[in-house]
């Protein structure tokens, strides 16, 4: 399931992010430092050093925004979120076709996170760079994603995906993974649709008893499928 989460960051926040990421002393490193053996041959970009003060500061702002965003909660049903990272592509940089590693070590904790969902939060306006689309292969074919600054896409970490070469300007993004309470993408989609339907019934003044019953169905399915 691909879910477009609009306006996770407002323009004020975006300006703050871009100022910090564009600063001369921003700790950009070769993106291959976090690539697995599969990615290292196809990955060509830069990342803010993982665990640096800047990555932590901006990452915490993203995490706080996620906690307040009902669409993200409903779509991802997050259990754990990997500390957000930041990347940039310019001058032809790209990331060839790959699948994200299934298990990642949470830095500094020894704990592991299963990557059920991949997230890309776009930080640069789409007209400020050419190409650089995120291409995601899903069951309906290849989806092309290039979103407004501040918007985020959620997609299955299991899907083949790539980033086209950036031929002008700079593509800035934040990316991270989510371990969901509901591991199966199909079950997560059913819960997402059911939740959206219940919200709409509430908003349009549907019969209270029926809404209550459906809400019970939602929670009882979640209880059956959720793992903690
Ligand atoms: Ni990836």
């Amino acid at each position: 399931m691909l879910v477009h989460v609009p306006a996770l960051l407002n323009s004020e926040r975006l300006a703050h992010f871009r100022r910090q990421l564009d600063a001369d002393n921003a700790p950009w490193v070769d993106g291959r430092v976090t690539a697995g053996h599969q990615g290292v041959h196809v990955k060509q970009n830069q990342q803010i050093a993982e665990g640096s003060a800047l990555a932590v500061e901006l990452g915490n702002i993203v995490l706080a925004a996620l906690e307040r965003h009902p669409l993200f909660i409903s779509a991802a049903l997050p259990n754990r979120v990997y500390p957000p990272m930041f990347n940039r592509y310019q001058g032809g940089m790209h990331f060839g076709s790959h699948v994200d590693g299934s298990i990642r070590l949470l830095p500094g904790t020894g704990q592991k996170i299963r990557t059920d969902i991949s997230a890309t939060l776009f930080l640069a306006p789409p007209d400020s760079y050419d190409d650089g689309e995120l291409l995601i292969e899903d069951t309906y074919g290849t989806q092309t994603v290039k979103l407004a600054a501040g918007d985020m896409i959620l997609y299955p970490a299991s899907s083949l995906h790539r980033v086209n070469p950036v031929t002008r300007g700079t593509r800035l993004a934040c990316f991270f993974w989510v371990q969901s309470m509901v591991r199966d993408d199909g079950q997560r989609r059913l819960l997402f649709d059911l939740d959206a339907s219940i919200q709409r019934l509430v908003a349009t003044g549907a019969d209270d008893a029926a809404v209550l019953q459906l809400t019970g169905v939602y929670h009882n399915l979640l209880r059956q499928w959720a793992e903690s």
Side-chain angles (χ1 to χ4, degrees):
M1 167 170 78
L2 265 61
V3 178
H4 174 183
V5 178
L8 185 73
L9 298 179
N10 61 26
S11 53
E12 213 169 274
R13 283 262 153 76
L14 281 169
H16 174 70
F17 273 52
R18 278 204 296 273
R19 256 196 321 274
Q20 301 266 47
L21 294 170
D22 289 342
D24 289 339
N25 60 351
W28 289 104
V29 297
D30 190 317
R32 280 173 293 195
V33 289
T34 57
H37 66 91
Q38 176 207 200
V40 78
H41 303 294
V42 293
K43 187 175 186 183
Q44 201 196 0
N45 66 4
Q46 294 175 306
Q47 285 173 195
I48 290 292
E50 225 181 337
S52 63
L54 182 58
V56 172
E57 186 214 320
L58 300 184
N60 284 339
I61 295 173
V62 173
L63 291 174
L66 293 174
E67 279 174 18
R68 289 192 300 267
H69 207 298
L71 183 60
F72 169 74
I73 303 290
S74 176
L77 296 169
N79 183 348
R80 292 175 178 189
V81 180
Y82 193 88
M85 298 198 285
F86 299 85
N87 62 16
R88 80 176 171 193
Y89 296 78
Q90 52 195 9
M93 290 180 184
H94 64 281
F95 197 164
S97 200
H98 67 281
V99 170
D100 291 342
S102 52
I103 306 288
R104 298 193 82 95
L105 210 53
L106 282 166
T109 67
Q111 291 183 320
K112 297 186 179 85
I113 182 169
R114 189 187 62 233
T115 59
D116 296 320
I117 300 165
S118 296
T120 297
L121 165 61
F122 289 75
L123 298 175
D127 60 0
S128 70
Y129 61 98
D130 285 341
D131 307 310
E133 300 86 356
L134 171 64
L135 300 177
I136 304 163
E137 289 183 25
D138 81 354
T139 45
Y140 301 108
T142 301
Q143 309 294 316
T144 303
V145 182
K146 185 170 176 176
L147 302 180
D151 285 16
M152 178 172 72
I153 188 83
L154 301 174
Y155 59 100
S158 56
S159 63
L160 267 178
H161 54 273
R162 63 185 191 272
V163 175
N164 277 342
V166 171
T167 55
R168 177 189 65 89
T170 301
R171 178 195 195 270
L172 273 180
C174 168
F175 66 104
F176 55 91
W177 297 274
V178 180
Q179 178 172 325
S180 178
M181 292 187 288
V182 176
R183 177 180 197 154
D184 182 78
D185 189 64
Q187 290 176 337
R188 224 183 299 118
R189 179 193 297 256
L190 286 174
L191 289 169
F192 180 60
D193 287 346
L194 184 53
D195 186 41
S197 171
I198 292 168
Q199 300 299 330
R200 186 160 173 76
L201 288 171
V202 170
T204 53
D207 179 81
D208 283 346
V211 169
L212 188 61
Q213 194 172 29
L214 266 185
T215 305
V217 169
Y218 175 87
H219 281 286
N220 290 327
L221 281 175
L222 182 56
R223 202 186 319 278
Q224 279 197 28
W225 291 341
E227 48 183 64
S228 59

